[in-house]
Amino acid sequence: AQSVTQPDIHITVSEGASLELRCNYSYGATPYLFWYVQSPGQGLQLLLKYFSGDTLVQGIKGFEAEFKRSQSSFNLRKPSVHWSDAAEYFCAVGSYSGGGADGLTFGKGTHLIIQP
Amino acid sequence: DAGITQSPRHKVTETGTPVTLRCHQTENHRYMYWYRQDPGHGLRLIHYSYGVKDTDKGEVSDGYSVSRSKTEDFLLTLESATSSQTSVYFCAISEARSDEQYFGPGTRLTVT
């Protein structure tokens, strides 16, 4: 079964500083990878996705992520964070290779705090 | 934003009572999903549907049942609610099996 690990439960970053959120996955086949963001009391919004091709993917709100197969990682980055980026971030992997349930397996999330 | 609504948005119920949550979509997507979100666990898949009357279990399906009689509606039923089912429930949709999923606003359920 696939799994997703987000090693950092909380991260604090100063406004204007760069950001990197870590995500490691365990999956036998080629993964489909996603990053979602959740603001307090809201649903999840898709930031970006990786299916195949270029390993550096661009998303909304200035975010990007890089797929590294050798490290089983899909880290999320932003060069300069804004106070509005404070939220919960979830990495997810898709199970589509047959067997097991369709649907996404989520990491437990990273809570991002922005310091003024 | 994808056209997904969930009802009710908030519900408080007593242990042992039946509860049905509704997810409604206007996107005509084939796939629909129910997840629960709990602190420290992220989101976990309860059940999903890959077409009208076609459903399957997810990771945490015990105590839950689902039905899908129309493309646009996916119902989640707790036959006899327990305190361990206190959670926030999210519905999601996707157009195809390998597509990204879009999430509804969630339903906060409290079982007392």
Side-chain angles (χ1 to χ4, degrees):
Chain A
Q2 68 270 22
S3 65
V4 178
T5 301
Q6 294 181 245
D8 304 305
I9 298 174
H10 299 277
I11 281 188
T12 301
V13 178
S14 298
E15 190 169 15
S18 63
L19 170 70
E20 183 169 28
L21 302 182
R22 295 182 292 164
C23 173
N24 294 98
Y25 67 89
S26 172
Y27 189 61
T30 300
Y32 295 83
L33 296 160
F34 307 85
W35 275 99
Y36 285 86
V37 61
Q38 184 181 33
S39 298
Q42 304 294 313
L44 278 74
Q45 181 182 23
L46 178 69
L47 284 176
L48 47 77
K49 62 186 180 185
Y50 172 78
F51 284 3
S52 65
D54 193 345
T55 57
L56 184 64
V57 293
Q58 303 297 319
I60 62 171
K61 304 185 179 187
F63 286 93
E64 66 178 26
E66 186 171 12
F67 170 61
K68 293 185 177 180
R69 185 186 300 275
S70 62
Q71 298 178 21
S72 297
S73 69
F74 188 57
N75 293 349
L76 182 71
R77 301 193 294 248
K78 187 171 184 177
S80 176
V81 298
H82 186 262
W83 64 266
S84 60
D85 293 324
E88 192 84 14
Y89 291 80
F90 293 95
C91 181
V93 62
S95 169
Y96 307 112
S97 65
D102 283 6
L104 300 178
T105 299
F106 283 84
K108 295 183 178 181
T110 297
H111 184 62
L112 176 63
I113 300 166
I114 306 297
Q115 280 184 336
Chain B
D1 290 343
I4 310 169
T5 57
Q6 294 185 232
S7 58
R9 293 292 314 279
H10 302 272
K11 186 170 182 66
V12 180
T13 191
E14 294 184 348
T15 298
T17 59
V19 177
T20 296
L21 308 183
R22 179 180 183 241
C23 176
H24 179 78
Q25 60 145 329
T26 57
E27 305 296 322
N28 200 36
H29 283 0
R30 178 182 174 189
Y31 285 79
M32 299 185 75
Y33 311 82
W34 278 107
Y35 293 87
R36 61 178 289 174
Q37 183 179 28
D38 304 290
H41 288 278
L43 282 82
R44 292 176 292 175
L45 182 66
I46 305 172
H47 281 279
Y48 69 99
S49 170
Y50 47 96
V52 173
K53 299 191 189 309
D54 293 322
T55 65
D56 206 347
K57 296 179 179 179
E59 177 189 356
V60 289
S61 59
D62 287 349
Y64 301 95
S65 62
V66 291
S67 65
R68 191 170 179 199
S69 59
K70 298 184 291 184
T71 298
E72 57 266 35
D73 290 325
F74 192 33
L75 304 181
L76 177 71
T77 297
L78 291 66
E79 299 291 347
S80 178
T82 67
S83 58
S84 65
Q85 293 175 312
T86 292
S87 187
V88 180
Y89 292 85
F90 286 98
C91 174
I93 64 173
S94 66
E95 191 164 9
R97 188 182 187 198
S98 59
D99 281 351
E100 61 269 30
Q101 295 181 17
Y102 297 96
F103 285 79
T107 293
R108 182 174 295 277
L109 176 67
T110 302
V111 183
T112 61

